[in-house]
Amino acid sequence: MSKERKRYILDEDQIPREWYNIQAEMPVKPLPALDPATKKPLHASDLFHLFAKELCEQEFNQTDPWIKIPEPVRDMYKFYRSTPLVRAYGLEKALGTSAHIYFKNESVSPMGSHKLNSAIPQAYYCKKEGVTNITTETGAGQWGASLAYAARLFGLEAAVYQVRVSYEQKPYRKSIMQTFGAQVTPSPSMSTRAGKDILTATPNHPGSLGTAISEAVELARTTPNCKYTLGSVLSHVSLHQTVIGLEAEKQMEMAGEYPDIVVACFGGGSNFSGIAFPFMRHNFTGERKTRFIAAEPASCPKLTRGRFIYDFGDEAGYTPLLPMFSLGHNFTPPNVHAGGLRYHGAGVIVSQLLKDGWMEAVDIEQLESFEAGLLFARTEGIIPAPESCHAIAATIREANRCKETGEEKVILFNLSGHGLIDMAAYDQYLSGSLTNFHVDDATIEKNIRQIEH
């Protein structure tokens, strides 16, 4: 094993110069977002009041497959990109599998996750437009930390609403955001009308990404020279994340292999899109037949048990109506430690791809995810984020199938972040106090019926 190459890293001049826009090449385009009041399709200009204009143009661009990465953004990418592609020899040996397992290590970014790939361009476009303040939401805190850092890079003031349960579970993520000068508020809060309404109805509400989005959007609407930013779900976020898969393509070529299976954890779709979309374009042409697997928590199973409907992206109903697989915007996920995956809906692009059969989805129980994360840590030396543990668990399932069949399939998964700020969750798992959460069908069906009505 010592003679085998472990890591593949691209030179700086090989860092992508363009993002891949999968919307331009999808066999079936995503359905349009709708204005909640008129139920008519939205256009880019309809969102100029909320997002930076160039981000709105990217969101609605269904014609250009390649979009140039601005040089100031690419220069910032050079701080940590390319990220390594790593052969997981230790995990392969522990499993006794015939599969070849690779992972893209996005945990090496300054913030420890893939989220910085979109935070930098979003802050850049806001600064270019003359914006002075930006708001956002965050679940586990990876996105909030990345946005706080990116805001500091471009001299912007950032306000972050963090899901209350994660705010309490992961205090050091709050500290990271504050280190870079961001204002951090647990959501739901009494600082917005949306937060007050939610807390009035449910005083001990643990928060969700839906509640935090509502508050961040409201603050952006009511603050002069302020724009809203988002860490997942929307199409321009998926676009920025494709640097992951574009690098991985070149690195897999260096390794002399091509993935039969691509796996990523799934909350709203940012890291799944990033690793999967560049490879998926070859499936569209028939050149390849790669399988793409999104691994979501069993406690928030929008892809595996949700319904494809038009729904709001937030709890208060401030956002456009999005065509997506959803559990209902009023669904409150259980308090699992994978805070970044506690979102009720899926991005519109991923939802359309799942609907059309270009990808698959599996759900993972919390205990299975931590069991997988612990094995990965002990064999590869990296403690993964609770979100990433879901991708590892799904990878292990596929590797074990290869062990049974003797097939030498190539599996690539995205290690979306490290778990060094999530050790309280590992403490609970190691002590035996961590549990699974069950979401009953009746609750899901009730939420869906309310939306459809």
Side-chain angles (χ1 to χ4, degrees):
M1 190 174 88
S2 60
K3 295 181 180 180
E4 298 287 351
R5 184 165 180 178
K6 179 72 173 173
R7 300 194 307 157
Y8 301 85
I9 302 175
L10 302 175
D11 292 334
E12 281 188 5
D13 62 357
Q14 293 179 290
I15 296 172
R17 296 182 182 276
E18 297 173 305
W19 293 302
Y20 173 59
N21 179 22
I22 196 173
Q23 293 188 87
E25 297 187 329
M26 289 173 64
V28 178
K29 306 292 187 188
L31 295 171
L34 302 180
D35 183 309
T38 66
K39 303 300 188 293
K40 292 182 179 180
L42 291 174
H43 304 284
S45 59
D46 294 321
L47 297 180
F48 284 175
H49 68 288
L50 193 58
F51 297 98
K53 292 180 181 179
E54 290 194 54
L55 294 172
C56 295
E57 298 291 351
Q58 291 174 1
E59 182 70 22
F60 288 84
N61 189 326
Q62 295 189 345
T63 56
D64 302 315
W66 299 98
I67 295 178
K68 181 177 172 58
I69 300 174
E71 280 306 311
V73 172
R74 194 167 179 275
D75 287 342
M76 295 295 182
Y77 278 171
K78 291 178 183 177
F79 281 35
Y80 62 101
R81 307 209 70 87
S82 70
T83 61
L85 177 76
V86 186
R87 177 75 180 270
Y89 288 112
L91 181 60
E92 290 175 17
K93 183 179 179 181
L95 295 174
T97 181
S98 52
H100 295 184
I101 302 174
Y102 294 84
F103 62 92
K104 191 78 164 94
N105 188 1
E106 291 295 301
S107 75
V108 300
S109 85
M111 295 300 102
S113 84
H114 71 291
K115 293 293 188 179
L116 200 54
N117 299 331
S118 187
I120 290 173
Q122 289 193 53
Y124 164 77
Y125 287 123
C126 286
K127 178 67 173 181
K128 182 181 176 184
E129 195 171 303
V131 171
T132 57
N133 295 66
I134 53 178
T135 72
T136 197
E137 78 299 319
T138 193
Q142 293 101 325
W143 167 249
S146 296
L147 199 279
Y149 173 62
R152 181 56 48 187
L153 289 176
F154 292 102
L156 303 171
E157 294 296 323
V160 182
Y161 286 91
Q162 184 174 11
V163 174
R164 180 174 295 278
V165 65
S166 292
Y167 182 93
E168 295 167 353
Q169 287 176 340
K170 306 172 192 296
Y172 292 126
R173 285 252 165 73
K174 172 192 68 177
S175 300
I176 290 173
M177 291 181 256
Q178 292 173 333
T179 296
F180 291 112
Q183 175 187 325
V184 187
T185 304
S187 177
S189 73
M190 296 299 286
S191 67
T192 65
R193 171 50 54 193
K196 290 175 183 176
D197 289 345
I198 293 167
L199 287 173
T200 299
T202 311
N204 295 317
H205 199 297
S208 68
L209 282 166
T211 68
I213 290 172
S214 293
E215 294 203 88
V217 168
E218 182 178 325
L219 184 64
R221 284 176 167 178
T222 56
T223 303
N225 207 22
C226 182
K227 298 288 185 180
Y228 171 62
T229 60
L230 188 66
S232 191
V233 182
L234 292 183
S235 301
H236 66 267
V237 183
S238 296
L239 172 76
H240 304 153
Q241 293 294 350
T242 58
V243 293
I244 302 171
L246 293 170
E247 286 184 0
E249 273 194 298
K250 296 177 182 178
Q251 292 164 317
M252 290 299 303
E253 187 175 345
M254 291 168 66
E257 300 208 82
Y258 192 91
D260 298 298
I261 304 170
V262 174
V263 183
C265 62
F266 194 92
S270 65
N271 91 93
F272 174 84
S273 303
I275 190 80
F277 287 0
F279 289 100
M280 196 178 290
R281 76 185 198 271
H282 303 300
N283 278 29
F284 294 159
T285 62
E287 300 170 68
R288 298 285 183 176
K289 295 183 179 179
T290 303
R291 289 174 58 207
F292 299 93
I293 302 174
E296 64 182 4
S299 59
C300 193
K302 81 278 290 182
L303 296 178
T304 53
R305 294 168 62 193
R307 189 85 51 82
F308 186 79
I309 56 174
Y310 269 98
D311 195 8
F312 290 106
D314 71 310
E315 184 158 334
Y318 288 160
T319 71
L321 289 169
L322 303 174
M324 60 182 179
F325 279 94
S326 176
L327 296 168
H329 64 272
N330 51 0
F331 176 77
T332 302
N335 299 340
V336 295
H337 279 279
L341 308 186
R342 296 174 68 251
Y343 184 62
H344 67 272
V348 297
I349 294 177
V350 172
S351 293
Q352 189 65 50
L353 292 169
L354 180 66
K355 185 170 177 282
D356 294 339
W358 292 105
M359 55 175 283
E360 310 166 33
V362 296
D363 58 9
I364 308 289
E365 294 281 5
Q366 180 163 242
L367 292 179
E368 181 185 355
S369 73
F370 274 93
E371 179 183 6
L374 205 65
L375 178 61
F376 182 79
R378 291 174 175 176
T379 57
E380 295 295 329
I382 301 171
I383 298 175
E387 293 81 7
S388 302
C389 290
H390 291 72
I392 297 168
T395 296
I396 289 173
R397 288 183 183 182
E398 295 299 323
N400 284 335
R401 290 191 183 99
C402 289
K403 180 179 179 180
E404 295 171 1
T405 63
E407 296 174 280
E408 289 190 356
K409 291 186 176 180
V410 177
I411 306 173
L412 168 64
F413 75 88
N414 194 22
L415 182 69
S416 58
H418 68 64
L420 296 179
I421 308 178
D422 299 284
M423 295 314 298
Y426 280 91
D427 284 345
Q428 288 185 30
Y429 176 74
L430 292 168
S431 69
S433 60
L434 206 63
T435 61
N436 288 325
F437 289 90
H438 177 69
V439 180
D440 61 90
D441 291 333
T443 298
I444 295 175
E445 192 61 32
K446 178 182 177 182
N447 285 342
I448 297 297
R449 279 201 307 268
Q450 288 178 343
I451 305 305
E452 291 178 331
H453 177 72

